[in-house]
Amino acid sequence: MTTAPTGRFGILSRWLGLTLVVLLALQLLAVLAVNGWGEEAFRQLLVERLVTQAPMALVGLLLVLVGARLDEPKAGRTLLKWVVAVIGAVLALALLAAIPVSISGDTAISLKADQALQAQKGQVAMARAQLSNPQVLEQVIAQGEQTGQIPPNASEEEKRKAATAFMERQLGQADQQIQQAERARDLATNQRRIGGTGTAVVLAIAFTLVTLAALL
């Protein structure tokens, strides 16, 4: 009484699994159709698509193995298991190859972010050095008087203090923006290293295990 339902579940499991693998293939083909191997952005996009979509194929291969085991519990290395083993091995090798590409991309992106931050810090340092420049203070005072931020009838000392306080507030805001940019850079770096490179390593191991499970 339970053989027919089990057989139908095995067939359904196999088809669902193969569908998930085909979906991964379509996602990769959509990127590979551009054929931009010489561009770093293309390689990074391909790695990202592979890493993010590979878990779907991993579940698919497991469903295929479960379906095959339900249909033939004592069967040896069938054609379907060989197909699973080959796909698993190919994906494991692809993920291993993606690791150095991901690392090189992380390094390039981090270098650009560091350069941008250094440029911002340099600008802030130059602006801070102008706090004691009388000409700059006079310009800030003139602008403050035009905008009404500095009363025209205030004393020269009060005007200088107001201009200096205004410049310090601007520099403080710039420092906060740099700190926010540094936190964003660190978050993005950790996301790429852990969510990208780390995930690729784990998935490569997982597909290797699936390949071994299909052959045992």
Side-chain angles (χ1 to χ4, degrees):
M1 295 297 291
T2 60
T3 303
T6 302
R8 288 195 295 270
F9 181 79
I11 295 173
L12 178 62
S13 178
R14 290 200 304 273
W15 279 108
L16 284 175
L18 291 174
T19 300
L20 294 177
V21 175
V22 171
L23 288 175
L24 170 64
L26 292 175
Q27 291 289 329
L28 295 179
L29 285 175
V31 179
L32 291 172
V34 179
N35 192 21
W37 288 103
E39 300 177 3
E40 180 66 24
F42 173 82
R43 294 193 294 270
Q44 293 301 319
L45 177 61
L46 181 61
V47 169
E48 179 186 2
R49 190 65 56 87
L50 175 63
V51 172
T52 56
Q53 301 298 323
M56 176 176 61
L58 178 63
V59 174
L61 294 179
L62 291 174
L63 286 174
V64 173
L65 287 179
V66 170
R69 182 60 60 88
L70 288 174
D71 286 346
E72 299 177 276
K74 298 182 179 180
R77 298 175 181 175
T78 62
L79 177 61
L80 185 60
K81 290 183 178 181
W82 276 108
V83 171
V84 171
V86 170
I87 294 175
V90 170
L91 289 175
L93 292 174
L95 287 163
L96 287 175
I99 293 173
V101 177
S102 178
I103 293 174
S104 64
D106 292 346
T107 303
I109 294 173
S110 297
L111 181 60
K112 290 182 180 179
D114 291 339
Q115 290 175 347
L117 283 172
Q118 289 300 325
Q120 291 180 359
K121 290 180 180 179
Q123 292 174 355
V124 173
M126 291 176 60
R128 183 169 281 110
Q130 298 298 321
L131 285 173
S132 58
N133 190 327
Q135 294 179 351
V136 174
L137 284 176
E138 290 297 331
Q139 293 176 359
V140 175
I141 290 172
Q143 293 175 359
E145 289 177 344
Q146 291 176 359
T147 59
Q149 295 178 341
I150 299 178
N153 57 354
S155 65
E156 291 298 324
E157 183 65 23
E158 291 174 344
K159 291 180 180 180
R160 284 195 296 269
K161 288 182 178 180
T164 302
F166 174 78
M167 294 176 66
E168 288 178 346
R169 286 196 300 271
Q170 295 294 321
L171 292 173
Q173 293 177 358
D175 288 334
Q176 291 179 356
Q177 292 176 355
I178 290 176
Q179 292 175 0
Q180 292 175 356
E182 288 177 340
R183 288 194 293 269
R185 177 203 59 188
D186 295 339
L187 179 61
T189 300
N190 291 336
Q191 179 63 32
R192 290 192 303 269
R193 290 177 180 173
I194 299 174
T197 306
T199 302
V201 173
V202 173
L203 287 172
I205 296 173
F207 278 109
T208 301
L209 295 175
V210 169
T211 301
L212 295 176
L215 295 177
L216 294 179

